[in-house]
Amino acid sequence: MSLIIFLRHAQAKNNVERILAGRTKGIPLTQTGIQQAQKIATFLQPLKISTIYSSPIERALHTAEIVANKLDLGCKIDERLTEIEMGSFSGMQYDEMFAKYGNVFLKFYQDNSLIQKNGVETFSSVKKRVLDMVNYCSKKHEKQNVLLVTHMDPIKAMISTILQPKPESLYELVIRNASLTIAKKEQNNYSLAAINSMPGEQYHQV
């Protein structure tokens, strides 16, 4: 049995400022985020990770590098783990976006027409590339535990593939910064072993 372990990047500047960053460059981890990454690296040690893949986006890659250094591993970039393209919503504050367009996040999970009109990658597209990455890792790293450092919606995409929740449930689900979501493959099917797993003291930060 192998584990596919998703790690959402640690706290970044856009999380604190409530800005929809998308693929915008130049958004670093906060000092709290750096500490979170260090703690989750220690938390990961018993899982005996064989390989780390990361989104190319700075906040994810920096998280991955901190973890890789602690685990004495390398880190490979894979575009399938990248953040969603947010199109014209990139850089907008949440309150401003909701005031102008309504609940964009819920509409994203519904594949609403507003999403494509504004140049946003569809949720179905995210699910396809994430599942492709997971299948690739399952074959290439059979019977090994692999860490995928990415963003909230790629993680929700895998959860959606396994559980098929309603869009409203996906919207309500928050994947915490520097938390683990763990999938395992048994008899050619994926199941979820954990969502939002992290060191005990970190629960007080969310």
Side-chain angles (χ1 to χ4, degrees):
M1 180 180 67
S2 61
L3 298 178
I4 304 295
I5 304 167
F6 288 88
L7 168 59
R8 186 186 177 199
H9 64 78
Q11 185 192 82
K13 187 172 181 283
N14 64 297
N15 302 133
V16 176
E17 297 178 353
R18 290 180 55 78
I19 292 175
L20 195 62
R23 298 176 182 174
T24 304
K25 295 181 180 180
I27 299 179
L29 295 181
T30 62
Q31 191 59 44
T32 294
I34 292 172
Q35 293 171 358
Q36 288 176 342
Q38 292 167 340
K39 289 177 180 178
I40 201 67
T42 300
F43 189 71
L44 279 162
Q45 283 182 312
L47 294 177
K48 298 180 180 179
I49 305 297
S50 68
T51 308
I52 300 175
Y53 291 94
S54 176
S55 157
I57 304 298
E58 178 182 350
R59 54 192 181 274
L61 185 56
H62 190 185
T63 301
E65 288 170 344
I66 291 170
V67 173
N69 183 61
K70 181 72 174 182
L71 301 183
D72 197 24
L73 293 170
C75 176
K76 304 174 184 178
I77 292 175
D78 197 293
E79 293 287 343
R80 288 170 289 188
L81 298 173
T82 195
E83 178 64 285
I84 58 174
E85 171 54 59
M86 289 307 302
S88 60
F89 299 131
S90 294
M92 292 186 70
Q93 291 190 327
Y94 291 175
D95 292 343
E96 177 189 0
M97 181 177 64
F98 271 64
K100 287 185 177 181
Y101 301 101
N103 191 337
V104 170
F105 298 129
L106 177 57
K107 292 174 182 179
F108 172 69
Y109 301 123
Q110 295 170 331
D111 274 348
N112 186 282
S113 60
L114 175 73
I115 298 305
Q116 286 184 297
K117 286 180 181 177
N118 283 275
V120 179
E121 181 183 9
T122 64
F123 190 49
S124 56
S125 172
V126 180
K127 289 174 68 174
K128 182 178 179 181
R129 62 175 165 88
V130 171
L131 183 58
D132 184 62
M133 181 65 186
V134 169
N135 286 336
Y136 168 81
C137 289
S138 293
K139 293 177 182 177
K140 185 174 178 62
H141 304 284
E142 187 177 4
K143 297 181 180 180
Q144 296 178 330
N145 297 336
V146 178
L147 182 66
L148 308 180
V149 186
T150 184
H151 309 265
M152 182 186 293
D153 285 309
I155 296 172
K156 285 190 180 186
M158 190 62 194
I159 293 172
S160 179
T161 297
I162 296 171
L163 299 181
Q164 300 182 21
K166 294 180 180 179
E168 291 80 6
S169 298
L170 273 174
Y171 166 67
E172 293 292 340
L173 174 62
V174 177
I175 305 300
R176 302 298 180 181
N177 289 117
S179 71
L180 307 178
T181 297
I182 304 175
K184 59 182 179 179
K185 188 175 184 180
E186 297 175 294
Q187 299 178 346
N188 295 320
N189 291 314
Y190 294 107
S191 62
L192 284 172
I195 298 176
N196 278 328
S197 180
M198 52 189 164
E201 68 273 14
Q202 198 167 312
Y203 287 97
H204 299 292
Q205 299 176 356
V206 299

